[in-house]
Amino acid sequence: MMKLISTDFADSRKTIYLRKINGISGKKINIKKTQKEKYMKRIVFTGLLLLTACGEGKVSISELSYEPKIVFNAFITPGKAADDIRIQRNFPVGQDFNTDAQYLINALVTLTKVETNETITLVNNLNFPDNYFYDTTGTIIEYGKAYRLDVRAEIDGDTLHASSTTVTPNPGFQVVPEQSRLSPMHYVEKDSLTGEVKYFNVAFQRSPGTQFYVASMKSLAAAKSAFIYPPDNPFIPDKFDSSDVVKNLKELTTSSIWIQDTPLDNGISETVLDWFLFSFYGDYRLTVYAGDQNFRDFVETYDQVQDIDGNFYEPVFHIEGDGIGVFASYVADTTSFSILRPGEN
Amino acid sequence: MTARILMVLWTLTFFTVYAQSPPSDASLSGFVYDTNNGETLIGANVFLRDTKIGAVTNLRGYYVIPKIRPGVYTLVCQYIGYRVMTKTVTLSAGEEKVLRIDMQPEDIMGEEVVVYADSIPTMQKLFEKPISKVELSGQQINMIPQVVEADLLRSLQTLPGIVPVSDFSSALYIRGGTPDQNLYLIDGSDVYNPEHAFGLFSTFNTDAIKKVDLSKGGFGAEYGGRLSSVLNVTHMDGNRNEFAGTAGISILSAKTTLQAPIGSIGSLSGSFRRTYFDKTLGQAIDEIPDYYFYDGNVKAFFDIDGRNKLTISGYGGQDVLNYIFNENADNKAGFDYTWGNKTGSVRWTHVFSPQMFGDFWMTGSTFKSDFAFDEVTNYSEENFISDLTFKGSLEYHHSKQFITRFGFEQKNLHGVFLENFDGGKVDVNARRTHYVAYIQENWRPSDEWDIESGLRFDYFDSDRNFKNLDPRLALKYRLNESTNLKASAGVYHQYLHQIPRAFFSGIWTTSDRYQKGSTAYHFIGGVEREVLDFLTIELEGYYKKYKNIYSLNHFLITEVRPGHYENGLPVYDNTDGLFNRGDGHSDGLEILVKKEAGAVTGWLGYSLANTRYTIDGINGDHSFEPRHDRTHSVNAVANIDIRNSIRALKGKPAKYTNSKWLAGLNFVYASGQPITAPGSTYMIRTTPDDEAGFAVYPGGINEWRLPAYARLDVSVTYEKQFKHWSIAPYVQIFNIGNRKNVWFVQYDSKEQGGTIDQKVKTVNMFPLLPSFGVNFKF
């Protein structure tokens, strides 16, 4: 039948319990010794837990597996020669490298017009040692045609091969200044009648069949003296000072905005340029690009590979073989605008 | 194939039941109550001594012992923490005796705790518990040290098979499943995003909880709509005898729970809490945003008569975040973000006859979040999901061997996601209806065997309809007086898919022409054993197979296309391209050793697990381990009555006075999470006129493992009991070892004199976090 016992408190009941686990006839048990052992076990157990829960998790990046890749950093534009084909290499994580060492100056680079299978070999232009690129003269890229870039290069003793194909946009794309709002404005200027914030705005005639447009803004006056500091700038904290500007000058100088999924016909689209895109007073160069799918997928994924929780995702590159990066085609149109300093007219 | 086998087994069981219906005898039924507050007791053991005939009270506290031969019996009712109740009952032929049982809580302050150590009731209780089910009370949850606040979901993360993805998330990853595969219920209503504070805390106020049932898998036909688990939270009905309450303040929040009788027919309970660090720390530290949350629930219980009970329950919570990038700026730029759940339910419980018992619900639930930038940026977002549900569940006790449970459900879903931005908008608005019918047969051919077979029929009415018949089967076998064997298998379907967003509330979508329903197959086997009179050991192995699970397409932006245009701007109005479809499997082994009585209580858990997904278009279509996969995890939770623990070690009897010191300990060790690491770095331009910048290129998906995770949390509480009230100040320290557990690794670079100097930095999770507070009971 059912018995009522306490588990481990009373001496008498303890004996019952101890007898139970050692058999009724049980061995003689030295309770004091058992208690001492129990004390020690609990202290050791808790100490072990504490020890385990101290210290730090060590990350060893040397364990990461590196795979050499040809980096495509290449753009072509209809109506021009192929003169912006930069072929580079990647590096292991954590390894410092010289910027010149990234350029593969002895690669075999060919460009093929897919429709005719006409292939030209691109020549490395050694006149720009800080920015080697492959180019050609005489071959003008056409609108609405597919081009394939093939690269064969040696990296760390391995011969690698990669290729990518882009389809150039159709003609028709251009910025429409008369429908844009690009006249000089003060930073976060408000309409004097409605009190609403005004924005720069760029309108453009679309290229039929092209759905990807990106507006890129570059400050031509970028310097710590031209920076828009708080309290004029509502997007950064007060403690962001001129030393931070110098440190981040490169990132602050340019910005871009994707003009989302425009219609495929050749009508007019426009986009608002939000104030948070600008960090400096003065003149800006505004370039709107009409790009192909390669351009779109690259822009939207290559620097979004690390999520907010730290994990990585595969970017969408349209490169076959041992390559990463972008080979894209585009048509661009450029205009300009200015952000006035307070009191400036 | 699996579904077919289960269907055949279900059919065999069902017809066997009806072929063997026994003759009628007397019956005994009724509700079991706590005498102190009039609450019904869930899971109390009611049995006739010397017969092994018995029952366990259901979620309403109702028990039925049918088909008893006429005679005189000793009725025994047992519930942990309560005095054992015995009563002599005489049953005549054909008598349908209704017997109310009142249970007296042990006065643990006044006298020695006497633990009911007979192995039969303990094993009986374990035997009654379905496989993979975990039961916790509000009190047990409150004892586990956590980040500042006691938290239900974080408490569940201390059990084997349930892992968090980081310190910053209370979301539950159960046996390889993702949080959207868990069904959360509060008093019968679905809860869609059960998270406060960007996932740091859950929406459940532990002071208001009466009972938590979590099924980690293999659940019966009464539950469905999710692939992995069911978390069923029941709030307290309220004290039926007198006004009572609790209150607490901590560095984060203040909260109170009040209960009062409504005359002699019912009770009312309500709780409310609000965080206030926006008013305290936020005033002193600029970086702390203007953020707070509040939530509350009200529940009214009406004991209309012995056969009818009515419960009206409501819950509401709201998180509010206002963030200004620079408070001193001339033009204020920032954003407002609010989100919260509201649920409501009306439940009518009716005892049709001693053998037939039913619950009928009307429930509603909404989750809504609104996000908008202030005037200098044009962006706003509304995320909304709601349901209005009618459901009923009935149980019929044919005899002590046969119970039939059956029910229905109609869930009317409405989801809206609206996002406005300068270049277009996302406008998804969908209404769906989910119809469910189920039947479940429970057959006990002998004292040793318990067989439960069920069938669940789903009809999900979307822009494409889905019909599924899900068989379920559960077997229990009592090997001997201290050992139970259990097994379960089932097919599960889910028609809701969530777009998870770190720190922001997830967005729900439904199965439609672009996404099919997801399917899971569960196979679970386990052993339960009682050892040394005070320990129970549960060992379970499982295998889960997933079909058509959906993982958010991280680069959906490259694939989604507008459904139509308005004024030349794109409008995205469907779910095409949102997800990557995939399959997968999880398998594992779990061991749980529990001690529920004595000066030291708690559990030790170990889990060995493996999950692999194969997602179309990810990792070259090769399988990979998801981020939440943990190969090994060890949890130790201990609640220690310090004085009596020392006395026990000295061999002295336990002594209870009006004060005590309690210590809490929560230890976790888990092998490192899989993570994708960058395979290499390179320099590239975003646009042709841009300067080249540093970029990283990932290696194989989740091929790398972060270092192991370990943490020890401790708490110390001093409880002092006065005549009509008690006070309990406490201190708790999260991560007392201040271990630097790695959350993720960041990669950056700096260019100096033509050299790219790479920086690799680890981002760690919570450091040592002390907190304190005080709780009152009156």
Side-chain angles (χ1 to χ4, degrees):
Chain A
M1 248 326 292
M2 290 175 266
K3 294 170 292 208
L4 292 178
I5 62 165
S6 69
T7 53
D8 51 2
F9 308 128
D11 273 343
S12 56
R13 288 171 179 160
K14 179 129 193 146
T15 311
I16 294 170
Y17 156 66
L18 291 171
R19 277 190 181 157
K20 194 172 176 76
I21 59 172
N22 289 287
I24 297 299
S25 58
K27 297 175 272 184
K28 260 193 167 180
I29 291 167
N30 182 338
I31 288 181
K32 275 191 178 169
K33 194 182 168 194
T34 310
Q35 287 155 0
K36 206 172 173 183
E37 280 172 4
K38 223 172 172 182
Y39 261 130
M40 287 310 295
K41 276 181 190 166
R42 289 189 185 185
I43 289 165
V44 168
F45 181 67
T46 311
L48 276 176
L49 295 186
L50 190 57
L51 273 177
T52 312
C54 290
E56 66 184 297
K58 293 276 184 200
V59 172
S60 172
I61 59 160
S62 59
E63 293 167 9
L64 300 179
S65 56
Y66 163 71
E67 220 181 313
K69 297 276 185 191
I70 298 168
V71 176
F72 283 35
N73 188 355
F75 296 91
I76 57 172
T77 190
K80 292 185 178 173
D83 60 359
D84 193 10
I85 310 291
R86 303 181 196 188
I87 303 300
Q88 301 158 204
R89 61 164 291 180
N90 63 347
F91 292 91
V93 175
Q95 178 187 307
D96 296 349
F97 59 90
N98 188 284
T99 48
D100 283 348
Q102 68 182 314
Y103 294 104
L104 299 173
I105 55 174
N106 294 315
L108 175 62
V109 182
T110 59
L111 185 69
T112 303
K113 186 177 175 186
V114 174
E115 191 179 40
T116 59
N117 212 22
E118 180 189 345
T119 298
I120 51 169
T121 300
L122 302 181
V123 180
N124 194 359
N125 189 329
L126 299 172
N127 296 323
F128 301 89
D130 292 342
N131 205 6
Y132 294 110
F133 55 85
Y134 288 82
D135 65 4
T136 182
T137 52
T139 300
I140 303 299
I141 304 297
E142 295 174 41
Y143 285 97
K145 302 291 181 196
Y147 291 88
R148 188 177 70 247
L149 184 69
D150 280 277
V151 179
R152 194 171 295 276
E154 190 174 295
I155 302 177
D156 300 336
D158 293 331
T159 301
L160 307 179
H161 173 253
S163 68
S164 178
T165 302
T166 181
V167 179
T168 56
N170 289 312
F173 167 75
Q174 60 178 357
V175 169
V176 184
E178 54 275 20
Q179 290 190 32
S180 306
R181 184 198 276 176
L182 295 169
S183 51
M185 237 191 281
H186 289 101
Y187 188 68
V188 195
E189 186 174 311
K190 290 184 178 172
D191 187 284
S192 56
L193 292 175
T194 64
E196 287 185 1
V197 175
K198 297 197 297 189
Y199 298 91
F200 289 111
N201 171 316
V202 61
F204 55 90
Q205 180 90 40
R206 297 188 296 269
S207 162
T210 296
Q211 211 167 20
F212 174 67
Y213 298 87
V214 64
S216 171
M217 283 73 68
K218 183 168 187 174
S219 169
L220 303 176
K224 64 181 182 183
S225 58
F227 190 75
I228 306 167
Y229 292 97
D232 294 339
N233 190 335
F235 299 105
I236 56 168
D238 284 334
K239 62 185 179 188
F240 195 92
D241 59 20
S242 57
S243 64
D244 295 306
V245 176
V246 173
K247 211 186 302 174
N248 297 284
L249 193 62
K250 196 167 144 185
E251 288 77 20
L252 293 167
T253 302
T254 57
S255 58
S256 58
I257 181 170
W258 171 42
I259 302 156
Q260 201 149 341
D261 283 327
T262 54
L264 286 165
D265 62 19
N266 66 342
I268 288 178
S269 284
E270 58 181 51
T271 190
V272 166
L273 306 177
D274 277 306
W275 286 109
F276 64 79
L277 296 167
F278 309 115
S279 301
F280 300 95
Y281 295 112
D283 295 337
Y284 281 82
R285 188 181 72 208
L286 167 65
T287 306
V288 182
Y289 296 93
D292 73 328
Q293 189 70 32
N294 292 10
F295 200 171
R296 172 184 176 152
D297 292 348
F298 168 74
V299 167
E300 289 169 359
T301 66
Y302 91 96
D303 65 347
Q304 303 294 321
V305 291
Q306 191 167 22
D307 207 350
I308 196 166
D309 68 354
N311 213 359
F312 281 85
Y313 297 89
E314 294 165 283
V316 183
F317 294 153
H318 295 269
I319 297 174
E320 291 170 7
D322 311 313
I324 56 175
V326 61
F327 171 52
S329 55
Y330 67 91
V331 183
D333 197 3
T334 301
T335 184
S336 62
F337 61 91
S338 291
I339 297 175
L340 302 173
R341 287 176 180 272
E344 187 184 359
N345 285 306
Chain B
M1 187 61 188
T2 310
R4 276 187 206 156
I5 294 167
L6 288 170
M7 280 288 290
V8 170
L9 288 171
W10 180 85
T11 310
L12 285 172
T13 312
F14 187 82
F15 287 104
T16 310
V17 165
Y18 284 96
Q20 297 187 12
S21 289
S24 83
D25 286 308
S27 70
L28 194 57
S29 62
F31 289 86
V32 177
Y33 296 91
D34 176 328
T35 51
N36 267 14
N37 57 22
E39 288 266 359
T40 53
L41 295 177
I42 303 165
N45 274 305
V46 184
F47 57 96
L48 302 176
R49 183 174 283 172
D50 299 331
T51 66
K52 290 187 179 175
I53 299 173
V56 173
T57 54
N58 64 14
L59 276 176
R60 311 288 156 250
Y62 184 75
Y63 72 94
V64 186
I65 309 175
K67 310 294 179 194
I68 310 167
R69 292 210 175 143
V72 180
Y73 295 93
T74 302
L75 178 78
V76 181
C77 183
Q78 185 227 352
Y79 194 74
I80 283 183
Y82 288 74
R83 289 173 191 276
V84 178
M85 197 283 310
T86 57
K87 189 180 177 72
T88 303
V89 288
T90 306
L91 297 167
S92 53
E95 185 179 359
E96 295 180 338
K97 198 179 209 52
V98 176
L99 185 69
R100 173 190 170 114
I101 299 175
D102 291 296
M103 299 288 286
Q104 179 75 43
E106 294 284 358
D107 182 3
I108 59 166
M109 291 303 181
E111 58 186 82
E112 179 180 319
V113 168
V114 177
V115 178
Y116 200 55
D118 191 290
S119 63
I120 295 171
T122 306
M123 287 314 293
Q124 177 68 29
K125 194 170 168 60
L126 275 179
F127 189 70
E128 296 293 344
K129 185 172 74 71
I131 194 166
S132 300
K133 190 173 179 183
V134 177
E135 295 167 347
L136 287 177
S137 65
Q139 196 185 1
Q140 283 174 303
I141 297 159
N142 282 326
M143 296 284 280
I144 302 170
Q146 294 296 348
V147 188
V148 187
E149 286 276 304
D151 187 85
L152 169 61
L153 300 189
R154 285 181 180 275
S155 300
L156 293 171
Q157 290 170 351
T158 65
L159 293 162
I162 306 174
V163 293
V165 76
S166 76
D167 282 355
F168 307 108
S169 171
S170 60
L172 305 180
Y173 292 80
I174 299 178
R175 290 184 173 172
T178 48
D180 62 320
Q181 294 172 5
N182 305 326
L183 175 64
Y184 298 98
L185 294 168
I186 290 184
D187 287 331
S189 300
D190 290 31
V191 183
Y192 290 98
N193 284 316
E195 290 161 359
H196 280 307
F198 313 98
L200 275 177
F201 305 106
S202 63
T203 53
F204 309 98
N205 180 349
T206 54
D207 285 348
I209 292 174
K210 176 180 178 180
K211 187 83 192 291
V212 173
D213 289 330
L214 171 69
S215 179
K216 294 191 285 184
F219 41 92
E222 72 269 36
Y223 293 115
R226 296 294 190 280
L227 297 186
S228 278
S229 76
V230 179
L231 178 68
N232 196 354
V233 177
T234 307
H235 278 148
M236 288 187 292
D237 291 336
N239 195 313
R240 298 204 38 201
N241 301 329
E242 58 183 358
F243 175 77
T246 62
I249 50 171
S250 69
I251 55 169
L252 175 73
S253 70
K255 57 186 179 179
T256 184
T257 299
L258 303 172
Q259 305 174 56
I262 307 175
S264 60
I265 63 152
S267 58
L268 186 67
S269 74
S271 52
F272 183 81
R273 69 174 164 168
R274 188 199 190 276
T275 62
Y276 44 62
F277 63 75
D278 55 319
K279 303 291 180 203
T280 52
L281 294 175
Q283 300 294 314
I285 304 169
D286 289 344
E287 281 73 17
I288 293 184
D290 190 6
Y291 167 78
Y292 64 91
F293 72 76
Y294 60 84
D295 59 20
N297 73 282
V298 177
K299 191 169 180 180
F301 173 72
F302 300 96
D303 201 349
I304 299 167
D305 57 35
R307 301 179 71 156
N308 293 286
K309 294 172 197 313
L310 185 72
T311 304
I312 302 168
S313 174
Y315 166 85
Q318 186 84 345
D319 287 59
V320 179
L321 170 67
N322 299 304
Y323 188 73
I324 304 291
F325 298 125
N326 188 327
E327 290 280 358
N328 302 319
D330 296 339
N331 292 290
K332 297 282 185 290
F335 58 83
D336 300 320
Y337 185 36
T338 58
W339 70 99
N341 292 281
K342 287 182 180 59
T343 69
S345 66
V346 177
R347 188 190 72 226
W348 172 45
T349 300
H350 181 64
V351 182
F352 292 91
S353 69
Q355 281 82 24
M356 184 138 165
F357 175 94
D359 275 327
F360 301 91
W361 280 275
M362 182 173 78
T363 70
S365 177
T366 65
F367 171 82
K368 189 170 187 289
S369 72
D370 288 291
F371 179 90
F373 276 108
D374 291 336
E375 58 183 32
V376 288
T377 306
N378 296 315
Y379 178 86
S380 65
E381 176 198 289
E382 180 190 336
N383 176 19
F384 172 83
I385 184 164
S386 75
D387 78 65
L388 178 63
T389 302
F390 302 93
K391 60 184 174 180
S393 67
L394 298 103
E395 56 185 60
Y396 183 73
H397 296 250
H398 302 270
S399 68
K400 64 189 179 197
Q401 281 110 358
F402 303 111
I403 304 169
T404 301
R405 294 186 175 88
F406 55 101
F408 63 89
E409 184 174 321
Q410 184 200 349
K411 190 178 291 291
N412 304 284
L413 285 154
H414 184 205
V416 174
F417 185 74
L418 188 60
E419 192 181 18
N420 284 300
F421 46 90
D422 282 327
K425 66 178 176 181
V426 179
D427 187 359
V428 181
N429 192 328
R431 289 181 186 274
R432 312 286 189 231
T433 309
H434 189 182
Y435 302 93
V436 173
Y438 73 86
I439 184 164
Q440 196 161 286
E441 279 299 332
N442 187 220
W443 176 34
R444 294 191 170 184
S446 67
D447 288 338
E448 285 75 35
W449 281 98
D450 184 314
I451 301 167
E452 190 170 89
S453 61
L455 265 186
R456 183 181 175 92
F457 173 71
D458 282 324
Y459 177 74
F460 191 77
D461 187 10
S462 178
D463 57 1
R464 178 188 156 192
N465 298 328
F466 300 89
K467 289 178 205 160
N468 284 296
L469 197 56
D470 293 348
R472 315 273 167 91
L473 184 69
L475 306 173
K476 293 187 243 177
Y477 177 66
R478 201 193 299 257
L479 190 65
N480 54 45
E481 287 202 344
S482 60
T483 311
N484 298 327
L485 302 179
K486 291 181 180 177
S488 172
V491 181
Y492 301 84
H493 278 93
Q494 177 163 341
Y495 309 96
L496 292 176
H497 314 287
Q498 195 182 42
I499 302 170
R501 300 190 296 180
F503 299 112
F504 283 77
S505 52
I507 303 163
W508 286 98
T509 68
T510 66
S511 294
D512 55 19
R513 76 183 72 165
Y514 304 108
Q515 272 81 231
K516 293 178 183 170
S518 303
T519 311
Y521 303 88
H522 293 195
F523 302 93
I524 307 166
V527 186
E528 297 163 349
R529 189 169 168 79
E530 187 190 26
V531 291
L532 303 179
D533 282 344
F534 56 88
L535 287 180
T536 56
I537 299 175
E538 296 175 47
L539 188 148
E540 286 188 12
Y542 63 88
Y543 176 78
K544 277 164 80 177
K545 189 175 155 193
Y546 312 99
K547 207 173 156 191
N548 294 327
I549 49 172
Y550 292 92
S551 152
L552 177 68
N553 179 359
H554 186 70
F555 293 127
L556 63 98
I557 204 166
T558 64
E559 287 184 25
V560 291
R561 291 290 179 267
H564 65 279
Y565 287 88
E566 280 179 16
N567 302 320
L569 298 176
V571 179
Y572 303 88
D573 57 6
N574 62 59
T575 62
D576 192 15
L578 270 186
F579 295 101
N580 293 315
R581 194 213 65 85
D583 302 318
H585 74 268
S586 301
D587 50 73
L589 183 75
E590 294 164 7
I591 302 169
L592 178 66
V593 182
K594 268 177 114 171
K595 181 173 182 292
E596 291 193 307
V600 179
T601 59
W603 57 84
L604 183 65
Y606 167 75
S607 168
L608 171 69
N610 176 248
T611 297
R612 292 196 81 86
Y613 292 163
T614 306
I615 306 289
D616 298 343
I618 302 294
N619 205 34
D621 291 345
H622 298 301
S623 72
F624 61 92
E625 288 156 337
R627 178 81 193 262
H628 58 270
D629 183 61
R630 300 270 198 188
T631 308
H632 304 279
S633 52
V634 177
N635 294 88
V637 172
N639 299 309
I640 305 156
D641 178 338
I642 297 172
R643 184 191 296 145
N644 282 321
S645 177
I646 293 169
R647 290 178 70 84
L649 285 170
K650 288 179 177 172
K652 293 181 180 174
K655 187 180 171 188
Y656 294 93
T657 64
N658 61 356
S659 67
K660 62 179 168 182
W661 286 92
L662 301 168
L665 186 145
N666 175 24
F667 170 79
V668 57
Y669 171 88
S671 41
Q673 289 174 306
I675 192 167
T676 308
S680 61
T681 62
Y682 61 105
M683 304 290 288
I684 203 151
R685 299 167 291 170
T686 308
T687 56
D689 67 341
D690 204 359
E691 286 191 48
F694 179 80
V696 289
Y697 181 70
I701 295 300
N702 291 348
E703 276 185 352
W704 198 51
R705 288 259 174 187
L706 286 172
Y709 177 98
R711 198 186 80 231
L712 179 65
D713 313 328
V714 295
S715 68
V716 177
T717 305
Y718 175 69
E719 265 186 30
K720 176 82 174 170
Q721 178 78 50
F722 298 95
K723 194 173 179 187
H724 297 295
W725 64 286
S726 67
I727 184 170
Y730 63 87
V731 175
Q732 55 183 15
I733 302 171
F734 181 89
N735 191 9
I736 192 169
N738 197 28
R739 182 179 164 86
K740 292 179 177 65
N741 288 304
V742 178
W743 185 21
F744 60 86
V745 187
Q746 259 187 342
Y747 306 86
D748 205 354
S749 74
K750 199 172 154 190
E751 187 173 349
Q752 274 182 331
T755 298
I756 303 298
D757 178 17
Q758 292 196 43
K759 306 277 180 204
V760 179
K761 190 172 85 174
T762 55
V763 178
N764 297 325
M765 291 191 249
F766 279 136
L768 182 148
L769 281 181
S771 64
F772 54 88
V774 59
N775 290 321
F776 302 92
K777 267 187 193 168
F778 47 88

